[in-house]
Amino acid sequence: MEVLPYLNKNKQRFVDELFEMLRLPSVSADPKFANDVVATAEYVKKRIEEAGAENVALIPTEGFPVVYGEKIIDPKLPTVLVYGHYDVQPADPYELWETPPFEPVIKNDSIYARGSCDDKGQMYMHVKAFEIMMRTNSLPCNIKFMIEGEEEVGSSHLNDFLKKYKDKLQADVVVVSDSSMIANDCPSLTIGLRGLSYMEVEVTGANRDLHSGTYGGAVANPINILAKMIASMKDDNNRITIPGFYDEVENYTEEERAEIAKRPFNLETYKKELAISDIEGEAGYSTIERATIRPTLDCNGIWGGYTGAGAKTVLPSKASAKISMRLVPNQSSEKISNLFAAHFKSIAPASVTVKVNSHHGGEPVVTPTDSIAYHAASKAMEKTFGKKAIPTFEGGSIPVIASFKNILGIQSLLMGFGLDTDALHSPNEHYGLFNFYKGIETIPYFYQYFTELSRDAQI
Ligand code: BES
Ligand code: ZN
């Protein structure tokens, strides 16, 4: 198979096309961008079609459409289902971007734009790898694309989608590039992702904002109380204090933890890159463990009272916060959300009332390392990086991965080419040109080895 000649000849065009997609602000969280989200779906559809897929369509859901396309060369051959997402996180705060988030540029050999890595850049590698296989007559098996537009808001309509199109989506494996690898000279394959419970809380004191001189000290201040309630949900060892929170948490064996500890990691580089002088986290666990195989509780946003210019002496009536919990096997998102709600209500003093709402969630996943797909991906990475891939757990979430297994009965292979330092969800998100091209180069080998190893397994 000749991947590099075609790739090298078309490198510039591939980046130009990605730029075109990055200019579309497909922010799924904000209704103001709804038209751009749909325009992005149209764009992906056009490119998948051009690359040679058939039955390409935007399949409606209750939310944004799923882009579907397929190339079935022989039903007897294995089938790979490619999953990715064309929606992106909000770009706020805009003022912290060095160049505008939806005007992609190349700086220091990286593409800077919202979605450059997560996930437009990574998803597009699959479209271009498919184009290469089609144009060089080397697609060895069947392929189906399923590219969604609601991943960043929890993929809440995808379970219905998977149930409705269960037959259409049948495949031997789902392949996803929406995660990271350790470093450009240290390839890795993701074997676990955390789940998520996302809550919003509101604490109310008096029936209106009050003069903080007249009433301050005598009436509850919801901001003070909310801050205290949030702080109390972790103890001095940074253990989460919600009763029952750890009941289902899978504890890794010493051997498994020793395996995790082998992953290259430099604490000094880590701190330097984040400009922090110290780290913090749950006592008894390493930084890698804290960020991947241990559950968390974090306040993502908090508001209330006066935040305008100057000073206003006010005792606010309300305070609110958004709180996320990252979950690990075998925690259940619904169960943890319920435990949180009950606990939060139970610790509220009688001087306030509280409301607790649950946003989207997702279940944690662990993917197999003894599968044909894992072996094929490992072999493909070794071929193009010249190094063996290290299996890694990662801390982010992709809610649909658990559903692929539970609803379609298909395991996923998580082959990400991004880096943790690519500033996903942050200002100045970027994706290395090296990573974009290396992904495009590696993916066709995955197909080749996956088809060969599947054939060998049948004999
Ligand atoms: N690509 C990320 C998930 C990810 C990030 C996996 C880093 C591994 C390493 C994905 O697009 C994402 O951000 N998902 C959300 C899901 C949530 C909104 C339900 C997340 O993890 O916050
Ligand atoms: Zn993503």
Side-chain angles (χ1 to χ4, degrees):
M1 184 172 44
E2 287 295 315
V3 178
L4 275 180
Y6 190 95
L7 172 59
N8 285 333
K9 225 182 285 155
N10 293 281
K11 271 183 158 171
Q12 187 57 45
R13 175 171 60 82
F14 288 179
V15 168
D16 291 344
E17 290 171 8
L18 174 60
F19 270 35
E20 222 180 300
M21 177 166 40
L22 291 170
R23 287 191 192 102
L24 301 168
S26 52
V27 179
S28 50
D30 187 343
K32 155 166 118 233
F33 295 106
N35 289 340
D36 301 294
V37 182
V38 175
T40 311
E42 296 282 1
Y43 184 83
V44 175
K45 171 176 179 264
K46 177 174 93 176
R47 293 298 183 201
I48 290 179
E49 208 153 36
E50 272 172 15
E54 288 158 8
N55 298 318
V56 187
L58 293 194
I59 306 184
T61 70
E62 291 285 307
F64 291 115
V66 171
V67 186
Y68 180 84
E70 62 184 27
K71 182 71 194 176
I72 308 295
I73 55 174
D74 180 348
K76 288 193 288 298
L77 286 168
T79 301
V80 172
L81 176 62
V82 178
Y83 165 81
H85 61 97
Y86 62 81
D87 66 322
V88 300
Q89 284 272 324
D92 313 65
Y94 279 70
E95 65 277 12
L96 296 183
W97 284 79
E98 279 167 24
T99 53
F102 300 108
E103 294 173 29
V105 290
I106 294 176
K107 271 186 297 183
N108 310 323
D109 296 320
S110 289
I111 301 164
Y112 280 77
R114 171 55 87 233
S116 53
C117 174
D118 184 9
D119 180 40
K120 286 173 173 172
Q122 295 216 63
M123 172 266 283
Y124 206 59
M125 298 180 318
H126 286 269
V127 180
K128 294 297 99 178
F130 172 60
E131 175 189 321
I132 293 178
M133 292 186 284
M134 290 299 289
R135 298 289 183 274
T136 59
N137 288 320
S138 56
L139 179 69
C141 65
N142 306 314
I143 182 169
K144 296 176 179 175
F145 284 95
M146 172 186 158
I147 313 295
E148 71 145 322
E150 295 188 302
E151 198 276 342
E152 299 292 6
V153 288
S155 304
S156 54
H157 300 108
L158 271 201
N159 282 0
D160 285 345
F161 180 87
L162 295 187
K163 284 178 198 151
K164 185 161 176 195
Y165 297 103
K166 198 172 168 179
D167 292 339
K168 191 182 180 75
L169 298 169
Q170 266 322 309
D172 297 280
V173 67
V174 181
V175 174
V176 185
S177 294
D178 191 22
S179 53
S180 310
M181 53 179 197
I182 296 172
N184 285 357
D185 59 359
C186 186
S188 56
L189 285 162
T190 306
I191 56 165
L193 290 170
R194 289 194 283 197
L196 183 71
S197 283
Y198 200 105
M199 314 298 292
E200 186 159 336
V201 296
E202 185 185 80
V203 176
T204 305
N207 58 358
R208 61 183 188 278
D209 286 4
L210 302 171
H211 190 292
S212 69
T214 317
Y215 291 97
V219 174
N221 180 328
I223 299 183
N224 292 16
I225 290 187
L226 175 59
K228 202 166 162 185
M229 289 169 77
I230 294 173
S232 80
M233 286 193 280
K234 282 196 185 176
D235 68 14
D236 290 344
N237 287 320
N238 278 308
R239 294 266 304 176
I240 294 151
T241 56
I242 300 171
F245 185 86
Y246 290 97
D247 283 2
E248 258 89 34
V249 168
E250 180 170 325
N251 288 307
Y252 288 75
T253 63
E254 284 313 313
E255 290 81 62
E256 287 165 329
R257 293 184 68 187
E259 209 45 53
I260 292 169
K262 282 193 199 149
R263 168 177 168 174
F265 176 76
N266 183 312
L267 185 58
E268 288 316 309
T269 317
Y270 185 79
K271 288 195 290 193
K272 199 164 162 218
E273 202 266 324
L274 299 173
I276 50 174
S277 31
D278 205 358
I279 43 156
E280 72 150 56
E282 187 183 358
Y285 293 92
S286 69
T287 298
I288 292 176
E289 289 173 329
R290 288 169 178 171
T292 58
I293 59 158
R294 297 299 297 167
T296 66
L297 183 148
D298 279 295
C299 182
N300 295 236
I302 182 160
W303 66 100
Y306 182 69
T307 56
K312 180 188 178 197
T313 46
V314 63
L315 207 154
S317 163
K318 284 183 192 301
S320 305
K322 293 183 195 278
I323 295 167
S324 69
M325 288 162 286
R326 294 283 168 178
L327 313 178
V328 301
N330 300 302
Q331 289 178 299
S332 127
S333 172
E334 194 186 343
K335 192 161 169 200
I336 293 295
S337 301
N338 291 338
L339 287 179
F340 175 96
H343 178 66
F344 195 80
K345 287 175 189 157
S346 80
I347 59 172
S351 52
V352 297
T353 55
V354 301
K355 274 193 210 153
V356 184
N357 282 313
S358 157
H359 285 274
H360 50 246
E363 305 307 331
V365 284
V366 172
T367 58
T369 51
D370 57 358
S371 64
I372 292 175
Y374 188 90
H375 291 305
S378 180
K379 213 172 152 190
M381 279 192 145
E382 196 169 350
K383 163 101 185 157
T384 58
F385 284 84
K387 272 192 174 176
K388 262 207 149 37
I390 297 173
T392 54
F393 294 96
E394 283 203 82
S397 311
I398 308 177
V400 72
I401 304 297
S403 306
F404 282 132
K405 169 127 184 291
N406 299 336
I407 299 174
L408 299 185
I410 313 177
Q411 291 281 9
S412 296
L413 172 83
L414 305 168
M415 181 168 55
F417 292 89
L419 299 177
D420 282 346
T421 50
D422 284 344
L424 316 188
H425 298 201
S426 303
N428 306 307
E429 176 179 353
H430 52 280
Y431 191 40
L433 285 171
F434 169 86
N435 306 68
F436 181 61
Y437 294 135
K438 202 48 125 182
I440 299 174
E441 183 191 345
T442 307
I443 292 164
Y445 289 107
F446 166 77
Y447 282 80
Q448 184 190 331
Y449 299 141
F450 181 66
T451 310
E452 286 172 10
L453 293 176
S454 301
R455 192 187 313 129
D456 295 349
Q458 275 178 353
I459 298 168

